Structure formats: structure tokens, C-alpha cells
Amino acid sequence: REYISASSVYHNITEDTTLSDITYDMSGHGALQFASEDGQTMTLDNIYITGDIWTIELGEYRGSSYVNYNNVLNNVVFKDLYTTSIIECHEWYFSPACIAYGNTVLTNSTMTGARSSNTKITDKHGIEHDIIPVDIGVRNESDAIINGGLFENLFAWTHAVVDIYGATIGTLYCGTCDSTKHSWMTIHSGTKIDRIINCEPRCPYGGKEYSTTMTIKSGAIVGSIQLVSTDVEFLIIEEGAQVGKITCEGVEYTYEELRSAMGL
């Protein structure tokens, strides 16, 4: 097994490439980037990443609309990453240990223990926010499929499409909403999530409250859902899904009460 100790590592492939059986021990809060020149497939097999990092990028930032990346992760472990990254999504602030661009498929991977060197930030309205560390975030205009695995904290940007099959997740921070057509979270049978915290755009920062775009399929288990908005037009909880309490602004609702209030 190859061992790499570094502050920064940059891969930018020009042909389909598989990296396997590598341990990355990062230091100095630099970047670990797995990019491609023109959408070639980057496959990571049996990779272990730990240490101090700015962020891991599955892809790299080449402009707000560039997502021509294809990532395949099999049996990948992100463990106890200490990150300095900060991103803002509609007045929510996250510190992702990893950012997934383009198309990403994760199979039997484990991502836990992300911590941030930053804890608080004050926005332009003078309001202080917690900075939330997450093990991985799926970026705007990107798609992810998660097959099994264990994730402590996972975040989906507002313009992301994510399908989760049979994974175990502590907290899912979900920004998907009806502000765009490319935005949906589907939680499939066999998935177990302790809590979902929705973080789509909301008042008072915008003039409109949006509905979370999410389907919880029969056979999925969700401990609780925290909503930003009582607009649930595009929140679909199938019969046979096990969902605990649903709250919005500290008030507890049933799914039926919310839909009735919306005239649905």
C-alpha cells in the first residue's frame, strides 16, 4: 500500500484513471484535488485520507457552471479530517472536508469525524452563524449516487441531485428545493438517517420560501426532519417510510397536517 504524506496533492488526469490502495496523510491545510482535463473518469479504490486539509475536491473549481467531472469511489475512507474551508449557501455556512463536482458514485465508503478550524461567522446582516463541519458536500449542478456506506454529516447544495441507497447517515443537511429544476434528494429503501436538517433559501433573507424537494421512499428510516419552510409541496414521504417528528421553527407537525395546511 502506498503512503503519501503531503500538504497538497493535485491530480489532473487526461485519460480514465484508477488510483488504488493509497493512504493520504495530509498536513498544512492544503488541497487534495482529483480533477480531469475533460471529464475523464477518476476512480478511487481503497483510498484512506486523514489529516489537516483545506478541502478534498472531487473535481476542481473552474467557474460556477463547470461540472464536467466523473468520479467513482469504492471503499474510500475519510477519517477525522480537520478542515479550514468555508462555503456559504443561502446564509448557511459549512466547512466541507470534501466537495463533489459533476457526477459522483460512492460505494461502501466511510466518511466520519470532520472538524473545522472555524466555528462562527457573522453575515452581512450582522447575524452570527455556526459553521457546520460536514464530511462531504455535493456541489451545485452536480449529481451523486450513494450506495451503502457510513457518513457522519453530509450536505447537498441547493442545485444538486442526490440518490441514497442503503447508507447510514448521522445528519443530512439538505438544500435541495424548487428554486431550480436540477434539485432533488431521494432517500431509498434501506437507508437510515438520524436527522435531516433542511437548509434551502428562506426568509428573512429572501422574498420567497421554497419547498424542499425530497422523496423518502418506502423502507427508508428517518429519525427526524427539521424544516425551514412549511411549504411541503415537493416533500414526498411514501407510505411505508418510517419518519419521526417533523418540526418547523420549533413547532411539531405531522406530514398530514403540513400537507393539509398547504391545501394539498
Side-chain angles (χ1 to χ4, degrees):
R1 185 178 185 89
E2 184 178 0
Y3 178 85
I4 296 174
S5 178
S7 58
S8 296
V9 178
Y10 178 58
H11 300 279
N12 186 36
I13 60 174
T14 57
E15 59 184 19
D16 292 353
T17 299
T18 297
L19 301 177
S20 59
D21 300 312
I22 302 172
T23 294
Y24 293 90
D25 188 356
M26 305 303 295
S27 61
H29 295 290
L32 174 53
Q33 296 165 297
F34 300 95
S36 62
E37 193 63 33
D38 190 26
Q40 294 83 4
T41 299
M42 172 67 84
T43 300
L44 305 180
D45 284 341
N46 300 310
I47 302 295
Y48 184 99
I49 305 172
T50 191
D52 299 339
I53 202 162
W54 168 60
T55 194
I56 301 163
E57 289 187 294
L58 303 176
E60 68 175 332
Y61 185 81
R62 295 177 183 167
S64 60
S65 62
Y66 188 93
V67 288
N68 185 26
Y69 301 105
N70 290 285
N71 311 298
V72 177
L73 282 68
N74 302 312
N75 302 309
V76 169
V77 175
F78 297 165
K79 179 69 173 175
D80 296 336
L81 287 161
Y82 185 51
T83 177
T84 55
S85 65
I86 302 175
I87 66 97
E88 181 268 338
C89 185
H90 300 289
E91 309 295 340
W92 294 79
Y93 294 85
F94 294 92
S95 185
C98 177
I99 300 173
Y101 296 75
N103 298 297
T104 301
V105 179
L106 301 101
T107 301
N108 295 329
S109 292
T110 299
M111 300 182 181
T112 61
R115 296 172 297 131
S116 177
S117 62
N118 306 286
T119 58
K120 301 283 185 180
I121 194 168
T122 301
D123 69 18
K124 61 186 177 182
H125 309 284
I127 298 173
E128 188 177 68
H129 300 264
D130 291 330
I131 296 175
I132 302 166
V134 291
D135 296 289
I136 186 168
V138 182
R139 190 185 178 276
N140 278 338
E141 315 309 331
S142 298
D143 296 68
I145 297 173
I146 298 173
N147 296 311
L150 174 65
F151 301 83
E152 187 172 344
N153 297 292
L154 189 152
F155 167 55
W157 263 254
T158 308
H159 298 184
V161 174
V162 181
D163 283 86
I164 305 174
Y165 297 87
T168 299
I169 299 170
T171 302
L172 168 62
Y173 296 93
C174 184
T176 60
C177 69
D178 61 336
S179 66
T180 175
K181 292 181 178 179
H182 188 272
S183 183
W184 206 280
M185 173 68 64
T186 306
I187 300 164
H188 293 268
S189 177
T191 300
K192 297 179 181 180
I193 302 176
D194 289 343
R195 68 196 64 83
I196 296 173
I197 298 176
N198 293 99
C199 47
E200 70 268 14
R202 83 282 200 203
C203 296
Y205 303 111
K208 179 180 178 180
E209 292 196 2
Y210 293 91
S211 171
T212 187
T213 47
M214 178 185 294
T215 301
I216 303 175
K217 306 285 284 184
S218 177
I221 300 173
V222 176
S224 64
I225 300 176
Q226 178 182 310
L227 297 172
V228 170
S229 168
T230 55
D231 183 344
V232 292
E233 182 179 1
F234 300 106
L235 171 61
I236 300 166
I237 301 177
E238 292 187 353
E239 185 176 352
Q242 298 181 45
V243 177
K245 67 178 182 179
I246 302 172
T247 59
C248 184
E249 300 295 337
V251 179
E252 188 170 339
Y253 300 86
T254 66
Y255 179 56
E256 291 73 19
E257 286 172 342
L258 287 168
R259 288 185 62 80
S260 177
M262 290 290 299
L264 300 172

